Amino acid sequence: MRTLIRNATVVLPAGESVLDVVIEKGRIADIDPAAALPTDEVIDASGMHLLPGVVDDQVHFREPGLTHKEDLASASRACARGGVTTFLEMPNTNPTTTTCARLAEKLALASSKCCVNYGFYMGATLDNLEELQNATRTPGIKIFIGSSTGSLLVDDPDTLERIFAHTSLPITAHCEDEATVRANAARLGGGTDVADHSRIRDHAAARIATARAIDLSARHRHRFHVLHVSTADETELIGAAIATGGGLITGEACPHHLLFSTEDYARLGTLVQMNPSLKSPADRAALWRALGRGDLQVIATDHAPHTLQEKRQPYPASPSGLPAVENSLALMLNEAHAGRCTLRQVVHWMCDAPARTWDLVGKGRIEVGYDADLVLVDLAEKRTVRNAEQLTKSGWSPWDGVELTGWPVRTWVGGHTVYAQGRVDDSQRGSEAIYDHSRGGYWATGGHAETPFAGA
Ligand code: DOR
C-alpha cells in the first residue's frame, strides 16, 4: 500500500514548503516524488499543513488501577483525535511501574489496546535501584522528588544521590520540595480555598527541588529533564545550567502553565488545580520567554484525568491534574494563529524536541525513513472545545467553551489513518517506542540550531 499526500504545506526541519509526501510500509518513503509514481491512495491536502505527529512525553493514563478516570484505549483515542501519535506515560498507576516485570506488563497491555505509539517510564522508589539499572524498553527514570497523585516519592537525599550515581538511563522528575510543601500546608491549616494550592505548592517549593535536581545532574554528569516548569526562577536555573552544564539539562512547559495563571482560580476553581500549581501572570510570561530563548525545549501536557465529580470536591479533597491530550496541539496552533509563536516552533517544541530528548528512533520529523506518524492540520478551522465531545474517559476539559483556530483534521500512526473526518478509527495498533540512548539526547543531537527562535 502506497499513499500519496498531495499538495500539503509540509513542515520540515528546514522550513515549510508545498510538497507531496509518500507513505509506504509505515514509513515516509519519499518527499516530492516523481509525478508518475503509482499509488494506491491519494489524499488531496491542498490548503492544509502536514506536521510530524506530536510526541507527548508526559501523560498519566491511569491503567492499571484507576481506569474509572481513563484507560489506555480511551486515552489513545483522545491522542489520535488530538494529533498525538506517540505518548510516554508516567509510572504513578496502581500498581506503580517500578519493576521491570510491571514495565513489561504495561507494554503488553498497551500492545493490545493502543491505536497510537506508546512508551512507559520506570518509576523510582526508595529501594528499586537494581530495577532501574536493569530496565530497558523505557525512555528513562521518573522520580517524584515531591509527591503528587499516588504514592511515589523519593525525597531522601541519599537515595537521590544513589539513583543519579548508579543508573545510566536519562532521568526526569516532578520537582516540588516536599518539606516546603508540607510546611506551607501546615501553616495554612491544609488550605480551604483552591487559591491556597499555589501558596502551598509555592515558588520556593519548585525552585528548591529543581535546583537540587540540577545539582545532582551536574555532579553525576547525568542527563536530566525538568518536567512541567512553572516559575520564572526555574527557567533561570535551567538557562544557567544549559549555559554552563555541557548538554545535560532540558526542560518542559505545559499548556496549562502557558495559558492559565493564579487569576484563573476565580473562574475555574479546582478544575485548574494541578501540581506544580499555577503561578502568577509574570511566571507565565517567563515560561514563554524561556521557550522563545530555547531554555525550555519541550511542550507536553501532563494529561492527568480525574472525573468531574472528583474535581468538584471542595479543596483540598479535590485531586490535582487535568486532561489535555486531545486539545494540546490545537491550543498551540491557536497560539501560533494569534502570533504568539510560529508553527515551526510548535513543531519543534511538541514533536522534534521531545523525540530527541528521549532518543526516540524514527519520530518527531518529516524526513525520508522516519515513521509515517503524521498529522494534517487546518490552520483556519475554528472550533470550540466542548466537554460533551471529549474522548478522554474523564469527559471534560478546562478549555470547555473556548474557540480555537487551527485543528488536526487527519492523523496517521505508522501509515494507518487513526483519525479523519471527525472520527477515530482504533482498529489498528500502534507500536512500542524504540529508544537509542547512545544518541545522547537533545543537546547531543544539535540542540535547537535549526529552529528559527528569533522573533518569537
Ligand atoms: O497535577 C498533577 N496530576 N500533577 C502530576 O504531576 C501528577 C498528576 C496526576 O497523576 O494526577
Side-chain angles (χ1 to χ4, degrees), residues 271-301:
L271 296 185
V272 287
Q273 174 193 334
M274 79 285 292
N275 305 334
S277 64
L278 290 176
K279 304 295 190 306
S280 70
D283 290 292
R284 182 178 58 191
L287 299 183
W288 278 101
R289 282 198 304 276
L291 282 166
R293 283 197 304 274
D295 286 345
L296 297 177
Q297 299 77 29
V298 172
I299 292 180
T301 59

Side-chain angles (χ1 to χ4, degrees), residues 97-113:
T97 320
T98 47
T99 66
C100 297
R102 288 202 192 134
L103 175 65
E105 280 164 23
K106 234 186 198 185
L107 284 164
L109 202 57
S111 73
S112 69
K113 299 190 78 168

Side-chain angles (χ1 to χ4, degrees), residues 58 60 62 92 144 148-149 174 228 274-275 302 304 306 320-321:
Q58 193 191 177
H60 304 266
R62 310 304 192 201
N92 59 333
F144 281 88
S148 188
T149 300
H174 182 110
H228 43 41
M274 79 285 292
N275 305 334
D302 194 12
H306 302 281
S320 292

